[in-house]
Amino acid sequence: TGRIPRELIISFGDVHLYNSHRDQARALLSRAPTPLPTLSIDNDSAMGRHDLDALLSIKWDDIKLNGYEPHAKISAPVAV
């Protein structure tokens, strides 16, 4: 889209941590961040244009997430 992201604003409504998940939370917090991925849009008809029609012409298949390197999953028991 030619735009540069500036802010990410998130609002959490109900955040909590169960006692049975403390070890997993510590493991998550101990991980070093991986490089940030980039997002690309491969849609020739939308490139270089900044109008609503260009935005609406983008399809899911046009969007690519490049360089995403997730950490391995951290399993945790279901808290009941």
Side-chain angles (χ1 to χ4, degrees):
T1 63
R3 307 282 185 195
I4 297 173
R6 294 183 303 160
E7 292 182 58
L8 175 63
I9 300 171
I10 300 173
S11 176
F12 294 104
D14 183 13
V15 178
H16 54 276
L17 179 67
Y18 293 102
N19 285 335
S20 60
H21 295 159
R22 285 184 184 180
D23 292 339
Q24 289 83 356
R26 284 187 190 99
L28 179 66
L29 292 172
S30 72
R31 292 177 167 180
T34 59
L36 293 175
T38 59
L39 183 74
S40 61
I41 299 173
D42 186 19
N43 181 314
D44 293 335
S45 64
M47 295 312 293
R49 295 176 33 218
H50 302 282
D51 58 20
L52 181 59
D53 289 334
L55 178 64
L56 295 176
S57 73
I58 298 170
K59 306 292 182 232
W60 282 111
D61 291 341
D62 298 332
I63 301 171
K64 306 288 184 243
L65 186 61
N66 307 302
Y68 177 58
E69 299 176 21
H71 287 285
K73 73 175 183 173
I74 299 174
S75 296
V78 175
V80 198

Coordinates of all heavy atoms in Angstrom, one line a residue:
T1 N 0.8 -1.2 0.0 CA 0.0 0.0 0.0 C 0.8 1.3 0.0 O 0.3 2.4 -0.1 CB -0.9 0.0 1.2 OG1 -0.1 0.1 2.4 CG2 -1.8 -1.2 1.3
G2 N 2.2 1.1 0.2 CA 3.0 2.3 0.2 C 3.0 3.0 1.5 O 3.7 4.0 1.7
R3 N 2.3 2.5 2.5 CA 2.3 3.1 3.8 C 3.3 2.5 4.7 O 3.7 1.4 4.6 CB 0.9 2.9 4.4 CG -0.3 3.3 3.6 CD -0.4 4.8 3.6 NE -1.6 5.1 2.9 CZ -1.9 6.3 2.5 NH1 -1.1 7.3 2.7 NH2 -3.0 6.6 1.8
I4 N 3.7 3.3 5.7 CA 4.7 2.9 6.7 C 4.0 2.7 8.1 O 3.4 3.7 8.5 CB 5.9 3.8 6.8 CG1 6.6 3.9 5.5 CG2 6.8 3.4 8.0 CD1 7.7 4.9 5.5
P5 N 4.0 1.5 8.7 CA 3.3 1.4 10.0 C 4.0 2.2 11.1 O 5.2 2.4 11.1 CB 3.4 -0.1 10.3 CG 4.5 -0.6 9.5 CD 4.6 0.3 8.3
R6 N 3.2 2.7 12.0 CA 3.8 3.5 13.1 C 3.4 3.0 14.4 O 4.3 2.8 15.3 CB 3.3 5.0 13.0 CG 3.8 5.7 11.7 CD 3.4 7.1 11.7 NE 1.9 7.2 11.7 CZ 1.3 8.3 12.1 NH1 1.9 9.4 12.4 NH2 0.0 8.3 12.1
E7 N 2.2 2.7 14.7 CA 1.7 2.3 16.0 C 0.9 1.0 15.9 O 0.2 0.8 15.0 CB 0.9 3.4 16.7 CG 1.6 4.6 17.0 CD 0.6 5.6 17.7 OE1 0.0 5.2 18.7 OE2 0.4 6.7 17.2
L8 N 1.0 0.2 17.0 CA 0.1 -0.9 17.2 C -0.6 -0.7 18.5 O 0.1 -0.7 19.6 CB 0.8 -2.3 17.2 CG 0.0 -3.5 17.5 CD1 -1.1 -3.7 16.4 CD2 0.9 -4.7 17.6
I9 N -1.9 -0.5 18.5 CA -2.6 -0.3 19.7 C -3.5 -1.5 20.0 O -4.3 -1.9 19.2 CB -3.5 1.0 19.6 CG1 -2.6 2.2 19.3 CG2 -4.3 1.2 20.9 CD1 -3.3 3.5 18.9
I10 N -3.3 -2.1 21.2 CA -4.0 -3.3 21.6 C -4.7 -3.0 22.9 O -4.2 -2.4 23.8 CB -3.1 -4.5 21.7 CG1 -2.4 -4.8 20.4 CG2 -3.8 -5.7 22.2 CD1 -1.3 -5.8 20.5
S11 N -6.0 -3.5 23.0 CA -6.7 -3.3 24.3 C -7.1 -4.7 24.7 O -7.8 -5.5 23.9 CB -8.0 -2.5 24.0 OG -8.7 -2.4 25.2
F12 N -6.7 -5.2 25.9 CA -7.0 -6.5 26.4 C -8.2 -6.3 27.4 O -8.2 -5.5 28.3 CB -5.8 -7.1 27.1 CG -4.7 -7.4 26.2 CD1 -3.6 -6.6 26.2 CD2 -4.7 -8.5 25.4 CE1 -2.5 -6.9 25.4 CE2 -3.7 -8.8 24.5 CZ -2.5 -8.0 24.5
G13 N -9.2 -7.2 27.2 CA -10.4 -7.1 28.1 C -10.3 -8.0 29.3 O -10.7 -7.7 30.4
D14 N -9.7 -9.2 29.1 CA -9.6 -10.1 30.2 C -8.3 -10.9 30.1 O -8.2 -11.9 29.4 CB -10.8 -11.1 30.2 CG -10.9 -12.1 31.3 OD1 -10.1 -11.9 32.3 OD2 -11.6 -13.0 31.2
V15 N -7.3 -10.5 30.8 CA -6.0 -11.2 30.7 C -5.7 -11.8 32.1 O -5.8 -11.1 33.1 CB -4.9 -10.2 30.4 CG1 -3.5 -10.8 30.4 CG2 -5.2 -9.5 29.1
H16 N -5.4 -13.0 32.1 CA -5.1 -13.7 33.4 C -4.2 -14.9 33.1 O -4.0 -15.3 32.0 CB -6.4 -14.2 34.0 CG -7.2 -15.1 33.1 ND1 -8.1 -14.6 32.1 CD2 -7.3 -16.4 32.9 CE1 -8.7 -15.5 31.4 NE2 -8.2 -16.7 31.9
L17 N -3.5 -15.4 34.2 CA -2.6 -16.4 34.1 C -2.9 -17.4 35.2 O -3.0 -17.1 36.3 CB -1.1 -15.9 34.3 CG 0.0 -16.9 34.3 CD1 0.1 -17.5 32.9 CD2 1.3 -16.3 34.7
Y18 N -3.1 -18.7 34.8 CA -3.4 -19.7 35.8 C -2.2 -20.2 36.4 O -1.1 -20.2 35.8 CB -4.1 -20.9 35.1 CG -5.5 -20.6 34.5 CD1 -5.7 -20.3 33.2 CD2 -6.6 -20.5 35.4 CE1 -7.0 -20.0 32.7 CE2 -7.9 -20.2 34.9 CZ -8.0 -19.9 33.6 OH -9.3 -19.6 33.1
N19 N -2.3 -20.6 37.7 CA -1.1 -21.2 38.4 C -0.5 -22.3 37.6 O 0.8 -22.5 37.7 CB -1.5 -21.6 39.8 CG -1.7 -20.5 40.7 OD1 -1.2 -19.4 40.5 ND2 -2.5 -20.7 41.7
S20 N -1.3 -23.1 37.0 CA -0.7 -24.3 36.2 C 0.0 -23.9 35.0 O 0.6 -24.8 34.3 CB -1.9 -25.3 35.9 OG -2.8 -24.6 35.1
H21 N 0.1 -22.6 34.6 CA 0.7 -22.2 33.4 C 2.0 -21.3 33.7 O 2.5 -20.7 32.8 CB -0.2 -21.4 32.5 CG -1.3 -22.2 32.0 ND1 -2.5 -21.7 31.5 CD2 -1.5 -23.6 31.9 CE1 -3.3 -22.7 31.1 NE2 -2.7 -23.8 31.3
R22 N 2.4 -21.2 35.0 CA 3.5 -20.4 35.3 C 4.8 -20.8 34.6 O 5.5 -19.9 34.1 CB 3.7 -20.4 36.9 CG 2.7 -19.6 37.6 CD 3.1 -19.6 39.1 NE 2.1 -18.9 39.8 CZ 2.1 -18.7 41.1 NH1 3.1 -19.2 41.8 NH2 1.1 -18.0 41.7
D23 N 5.1 -22.1 34.6 CA 6.3 -22.5 34.0 C 6.3 -22.2 32.5 O 7.4 -21.8 31.9 CB 6.5 -24.1 34.1 CG 6.8 -24.4 35.6 OD1 7.3 -23.5 36.3 OD2 6.6 -25.6 35.9
Q24 N 5.2 -22.3 31.8 CA 5.1 -22.0 30.4 C 5.3 -20.5 30.2 O 5.9 -20.1 29.2 CB 3.7 -22.5 29.8 CG 3.6 -24.0 29.7 CD 3.2 -24.7 31.0 OE1 3.1 -24.0 32.1 NE2 3.0 -26.0 31.0
A25 N 4.7 -19.7 31.1 CA 4.9 -18.3 30.9 C 6.3 -17.9 31.1 O 6.9 -17.0 30.4 CB 4.0 -17.5 32.0
R26 N 7.0 -18.5 32.1 CA 8.5 -18.2 32.2 C 9.3 -18.6 31.0 O 10.2 -17.9 30.6 CB 9.0 -18.9 33.5 CG 8.6 -18.3 34.8 CD 9.3 -18.9 36.0 NE 8.7 -18.5 37.2 CZ 7.8 -19.1 37.9 NH1 7.4 -20.3 37.6 NH2 7.3 -18.6 39.0
A27 N 8.9 -19.8 30.4 CA 9.6 -20.2 29.2 C 9.4 -19.2 28.1 O 10.3 -18.9 27.3 CB 9.1 -21.6 28.8
L28 N 8.1 -18.7 27.9 CA 7.8 -17.8 26.9 C 8.6 -16.5 27.1 O 9.2 -16.0 26.1 CB 6.3 -17.5 26.9 CG 5.8 -16.5 25.9 CD1 6.0 -17.0 24.5 CD2 4.4 -16.1 26.1
L29 N 8.7 -16.0 28.3 CA 9.4 -14.7 28.6 C 10.9 -14.9 28.4 O 11.6 -13.9 28.3 CB 9.0 -14.2 30.0 CG 7.6 -13.8 30.1 CD1 7.3 -13.5 31.6 CD2 7.3 -12.6 29.3
S30 N 11.4 -16.1 28.5 CA 12.9 -16.3 28.4 C 13.4 -16.3 27.0 O 14.6 -16.3 26.7 CB 13.3 -17.6 29.1 OG 12.9 -18.7 28.4
R31 N 12.5 -16.4 26.0 CA 12.9 -16.6 24.6 C 13.3 -15.2 24.1 O 12.8 -14.2 24.3 CB 11.7 -17.0 23.8 CG 11.3 -18.5 24.1 CD 10.1 -18.9 23.3 NE 9.9 -20.3 23.4 CZ 8.9 -20.9 22.8 NH1 8.0 -20.3 22.1 NH2 8.8 -22.2 22.9
A32 N 14.4 -15.3 23.2 CA 14.8 -14.1 22.5 C 13.9 -13.9 21.3 O 13.5 -14.8 20.7 CB 16.3 -14.3 22.0
P33 N 13.6 -12.6 21.0 CA 12.7 -12.4 19.9 C 13.4 -12.8 18.6 O 14.6 -12.7 18.4 CB 12.6 -10.8 19.9 CG 13.0 -10.4 21.3 CD 14.0 -11.4 21.8
T34 N 12.6 -13.2 17.7 CA 13.1 -13.6 16.3 C 13.0 -12.3 15.4 O 12.2 -11.4 15.8 CB 12.3 -14.7 15.7 OG1 10.9 -14.4 15.6 CG2 12.5 -16.0 16.5
P35 N 13.6 -12.3 14.3 CA 13.5 -11.1 13.4 C 12.0 -10.9 13.0 O 11.3 -11.9 12.8 CB 14.3 -11.5 12.2 CG 15.3 -12.5 12.7 CD 14.6 -13.2 13.8
L36 N 11.6 -9.7 12.9 CA 10.2 -9.4 12.5 C 10.0 -9.8 11.1 O 10.8 -9.5 10.2 CB 9.9 -7.9 12.7 CG 9.9 -7.4 14.2 CD1 9.7 -5.9 14.2 CD2 8.8 -8.2 15.0
P37 N 8.8 -10.4 10.8 CA 8.5 -10.7 9.4 C 8.1 -9.4 8.6 O 7.8 -8.4 9.2 CB 7.4 -11.7 9.5 CG 6.7 -11.3 10.8 CD 7.8 -10.8 11.7
T38 N 8.0 -9.6 7.3 CA 7.5 -8.5 6.5 C 6.2 -9.0 5.8 O 6.1 -10.2 5.6 CB 8.5 -8.0 5.5 OG1 8.9 -9.1 4.6 CG2 9.7 -7.4 6.1
L39 N 5.4 -8.0 5.4 CA 4.2 -8.3 4.7 C 4.3 -7.8 3.3 O 4.7 -6.6 3.2 CB 3.0 -7.7 5.5 CG 1.6 -8.0 4.9 CD1 1.2 -9.4 5.3 CD2 0.6 -7.0 5.5
S40 N 4.0 -8.6 2.3 CA 4.0 -8.0 1.0 C 2.6 -8.3 0.3 O 2.0 -9.3 0.6 CB 5.1 -8.6 0.1 OG 5.0 -10.0 0.0
I41 N 2.3 -7.4 -0.6 CA 1.0 -7.6 -1.3 C 1.4 -7.7 -2.8 O 1.9 -6.8 -3.4 CB 0.1 -6.4 -1.1 CG1 -0.3 -6.3 0.4 CG2 -1.2 -6.6 -1.9 CD1 -1.1 -5.1 0.8
D42 N 1.1 -8.8 -3.4 CA 1.4 -9.1 -4.8 C 0.1 -9.0 -5.6 O -0.6 -9.9 -5.9 CB 2.0 -10.5 -4.9 CG 2.5 -10.8 -6.3 OD1 2.7 -9.9 -7.1 OD2 2.6 -12.0 -6.7
N43 N -0.2 -7.7 -5.9 CA -1.4 -7.4 -6.7 C -1.0 -6.2 -7.6 O -1.0 -5.1 -7.2 CB -2.5 -7.1 -5.8 CG -3.8 -6.8 -6.6 OD1 -3.8 -6.0 -7.5 ND2 -4.9 -7.4 -6.1
D44 N -0.7 -6.5 -8.9 CA -0.2 -5.5 -9.8 C -1.3 -4.4 -10.0 O -0.9 -3.2 -10.2 CB 0.1 -6.1 -11.2 CG 1.3 -7.0 -11.1 OD1 2.2 -6.8 -10.2 OD2 1.5 -7.9 -11.9
S45 N -2.5 -4.7 -10.0 CA -3.6 -3.7 -10.2 C -3.7 -2.7 -9.0 O -4.2 -1.6 -9.2 CB -4.9 -4.3 -10.5 OG -5.4 -5.0 -9.4
A46 N -3.2 -3.1 -7.8 CA -3.3 -2.3 -6.7 C -2.1 -1.5 -6.4 O -2.1 -0.5 -5.7 CB -3.7 -3.1 -5.4
M47 N -0.9 -2.0 -6.9 CA 0.3 -1.4 -6.6 C 0.4 0.1 -7.1 O 0.1 0.4 -8.2 CB 1.5 -2.2 -7.1 CG 1.6 -3.6 -6.5 SD 1.5 -3.6 -4.7 CE 3.0 -2.8 -4.3
G48 N 0.9 1.0 -6.2 CA 1.1 2.4 -6.6 C -0.1 3.2 -6.5 O -0.1 4.4 -6.7
R49 N -1.3 2.6 -6.3 CA -2.5 3.3 -6.1 C -2.9 3.4 -4.7 O -2.7 2.5 -3.9 CB -3.6 2.7 -6.9 CG -3.3 2.7 -8.4 CD -4.4 1.9 -9.3 NE -5.7 2.0 -8.7 CZ -6.5 0.9 -8.8 NH1 -6.2 -0.2 -9.3 NH2 -7.8 1.0 -8.3
H50 N -3.5 4.5 -4.3 CA -3.9 4.7 -2.9 C -5.4 5.0 -2.8 O -5.8 6.0 -2.2 CB -3.1 5.7 -2.2 CG -1.6 5.4 -2.2 ND1 -1.1 4.5 -1.4 CD2 -0.6 5.9 -3.0 CE1 0.2 4.5 -1.6 NE2 0.5 5.3 -2.6
D51 N -6.2 4.3 -3.5 CA -7.7 4.5 -3.5 C -8.4 3.3 -3.0 O -7.9 2.2 -2.8 CB -8.2 5.0 -4.9 CG -7.9 4.0 -6.0 OD1 -7.7 2.8 -5.7 OD2 -7.9 4.3 -7.2
L52 N -9.7 3.5 -2.8 CA -10.5 2.4 -2.3 C -10.6 1.2 -3.2 O -10.6 0.1 -2.8 CB -11.9 2.9 -1.9 CG -12.9 1.9 -1.3 CD1 -12.3 1.3 0.0 CD2 -14.3 2.5 -1.1
D53 N -10.7 1.5 -4.5 CA -10.8 0.4 -5.5 C -9.5 -0.5 -5.4 O -9.6 -1.7 -5.6 CB -11.0 0.9 -6.9 CG -12.4 1.5 -7.1 OD1 -13.3 1.0 -6.4 OD2 -12.5 2.3 -8.0
A54 N -8.3 0.1 -5.2 CA -7.1 -0.6 -5.1 C -7.1 -1.5 -3.9 O -6.8 -2.7 -4.0 CB -5.9 0.3 -5.1
L55 N -7.6 -1.0 -2.8 CA -7.7 -1.7 -1.6 C -8.6 -2.9 -1.7 O -8.3 -4.0 -1.3 CB -8.1 -0.8 -0.4 CG -8.3 -1.5 1.0 CD1 -7.0 -2.0 1.5 CD2 -8.9 -0.5 2.0
L56 N -9.8 -2.6 -2.3 CA -10.8 -3.7 -2.4 C -10.4 -4.8 -3.5 O -11.0 -5.8 -3.5 CB -12.1 -3.1 -2.8 CG -12.7 -2.2 -1.7 CD1 -14.0 -1.5 -2.2 CD2 -13.0 -2.9 -0.4
S57 N -9.4 -4.5 -4.3 CA -9.0 -5.5 -5.3 C -8.0 -6.5 -4.8 O -7.8 -7.5 -5.4 CB -8.4 -4.8 -6.5 OG -7.1 -4.3 -6.2
I58 N -7.5 -6.3 -3.5 CA -6.6 -7.2 -2.9 C -7.3 -8.4 -2.4 O -8.3 -8.3 -1.7 CB -5.8 -6.5 -1.8 CG1 -5.0 -5.3 -2.3 CG2 -4.9 -7.5 -1.1 CD1 -4.4 -4.4 -1.3
K59 N -6.8 -9.6 -2.8 CA -7.4 -10.9 -2.3 C -6.4 -11.5 -1.3 O -5.3 -11.2 -1.3 CB -7.6 -11.8 -3.5 CG -8.4 -11.2 -4.6 CD -9.8 -11.0 -4.2 CE -10.6 -10.4 -5.4 NZ -11.4 -9.3 -5.1
W60 N -7.0 -12.5 -0.6 CA -6.1 -13.2 0.4 C -4.9 -13.8 -0.2 O -3.8 -13.8 0.4 CB -6.9 -14.3 1.2 CG -7.8 -13.7 2.2 CD1 -9.2 -13.7 2.2 CD2 -7.5 -13.1 3.5 NE1 -9.7 -13.1 3.3 CE2 -8.6 -12.8 4.1 CE3 -6.3 -12.9 4.1 CZ2 -8.6 -12.1 5.4 CZ3 -6.2 -12.2 5.3 CH2 -7.4 -11.9 5.9
D61 N -5.0 -14.4 -1.4 CA -3.9 -15.0 -2.0 C -2.8 -14.0 -2.4 O -1.7 -14.4 -2.7 CB -4.3 -15.8 -3.3 CG -5.2 -17.0 -2.9 OD1 -5.1 -17.4 -1.8 OD2 -5.9 -17.5 -3.8
D62 N -3.1 -12.7 -2.5 CA -2.1 -11.7 -2.8 C -1.2 -11.3 -1.6 O -0.2 -10.7 -1.8 CB -2.8 -10.4 -3.3 CG -3.7 -10.6 -4.5 OD1 -3.4 -11.5 -5.3 OD2 -4.7 -9.8 -4.7
I63 N -1.6 -11.7 -0.4 CA -0.9 -11.3 0.8 C 0.1 -12.4 1.2 O -0.3 -13.5 1.3 CB -1.9 -11.0 1.9 CG1 -2.9 -9.9 1.5 CG2 -1.2 -10.6 3.2 CD1 -4.0 -9.6 2.4
K64 N 1.3 -12.0 1.4 CA 2.4 -12.9 1.8 C 3.0 -12.4 3.0 O 3.4 -11.3 3.2 CB 3.4 -13.1 0.7 CG 2.9 -13.4 -0.7 CD 2.4 -14.8 -0.8 CE 2.0 -15.2 -2.2 NZ 0.6 -15.5 -2.3
L65 N 3.3 -13.3 4.0 CA 4.1 -13.1 5.2 C 5.4 -13.7 5.0 O 5.6 -14.9 4.8 CB 3.4 -13.7 6.4 CG 4.0 -13.3 7.7 CD1 3.9 -11.8 8.0 CD2 3.2 -14.1 8.8
N66 N 6.5 -12.8 4.9 CA 7.8 -13.3 4.5 C 8.7 -13.2 5.8 O 8.7 -12.3 6.5 CB 8.4 -12.3 3.5 CG 7.5 -12.2 2.3 OD1 7.2 -13.2 1.6 ND2 7.1 -11.0 2.0
G67 N 9.5 -14.3 5.9 CA 10.5 -14.3 7.0 C 9.9 -14.6 8.4 O 10.6 -14.2 9.4
Y68 N 8.8 -15.2 8.5 CA 8.2 -15.5 9.8 C 8.9 -16.7 10.4 O 8.9 -17.8 9.7 CB 6.7 -15.7 9.6 CG 6.0 -16.1 10.9 CD1 6.1 -15.3 12.1 CD2 5.3 -17.3 11.1 CE1 5.5 -15.6 13.3 CE2 4.7 -17.6 12.2 CZ 4.8 -16.8 13.3 OH 4.2 -17.2 14.5
E69 N 9.5 -16.5 11.5 CA 10.2 -17.6 12.2 C 9.7 -17.9 13.6 O 10.2 -17.3 14.5 CB 11.7 -17.3 12.2 CG 12.4 -17.1 10.9 CD 13.8 -16.7 11.0 OE1 14.5 -16.9 12.1 OE2 14.3 -16.1 10.0
P70 N 8.6 -18.7 13.7 CA 8.1 -18.9 15.0 C 8.9 -19.8 15.9 O 9.7 -20.6 15.4 CB 6.7 -19.5 14.7 CG 7.0 -20.3 13.4 CD 8.0 -19.4 12.7
H71 N 8.8 -19.6 17.2 CA 9.4 -20.5 18.1 C 8.6 -21.8 18.2 O 7.5 -21.8 17.7 CB 9.5 -19.9 19.5 CG 10.5 -18.8 19.7 ND1 11.8 -19.0 19.8 CD2 10.3 -17.4 19.8 CE1 12.4 -17.9 20.0 NE2 11.5 -16.9 19.9
A72 N 9.2 -22.8 18.7 CA 8.4 -24.1 18.9 C 7.3 -23.8 19.9 O 7.4 -22.9 20.8 CB 9.3 -25.2 19.5
K73 N 6.2 -24.6 19.8 CA 5.1 -24.4 20.7 C 5.4 -24.7 22.1 O 6.4 -25.5 22.4 CB 3.9 -25.2 20.2 CG 4.0 -26.7 20.5 CD 2.8 -27.4 20.1 CE 2.9 -28.9 20.4 NZ 1.7 -29.6 20.2
I74 N 4.7 -24.1 23.0 CA 4.8 -24.5 24.4 C 3.5 -25.1 24.9 O 2.5 -24.4 24.8 CB 5.1 -23.2 25.3 CG1 6.4 -22.5 24.8 CG2 5.1 -23.5 26.8 CD1 6.7 -21.2 25.5
S75 N 3.5 -26.3 25.2 CA 2.3 -27.0 25.6 C 2.0 -26.7 27.0 O 2.8 -26.6 27.9 CB 2.5 -28.5 25.4 OG 2.6 -28.9 24.1
A76 N 0.7 -26.6 27.3 CA 0.2 -26.4 28.7 C -1.1 -27.1 28.9 O -1.9 -27.3 27.9 CB 0.0 -24.9 28.9
P77 N -1.3 -27.6 30.1 CA -2.6 -28.3 30.3 C -3.7 -27.3 30.3 O -3.6 -26.1 30.6 CB -2.4 -28.8 31.8 CG -1.4 -27.9 32.4 CD -0.5 -27.5 31.3
V78 N -4.9 -27.8 30.0 CA -6.1 -27.0 30.0 C -6.5 -26.7 31.4 O -6.5 -27.6 32.2 CB -7.2 -27.7 29.2 CG1 -8.5 -26.8 29.3 CG2 -6.9 -27.9 27.8
A79 N -6.6 -25.4 31.8 CA -7.0 -25.1 33.1 C -8.5 -25.1 33.2 O -9.2 -24.6 32.4 CB -6.5 -23.7 33.5
V80 N -9.0 -25.8 34.2 CA -10.4 -26.0 34.4 C -10.9 -25.4 35.7 O -10.2 -25.4 36.7 CB -10.8 -27.5 34.4 CG1 -12.3 -27.6 34.1 CG2 -10.1 -28.2 33.4

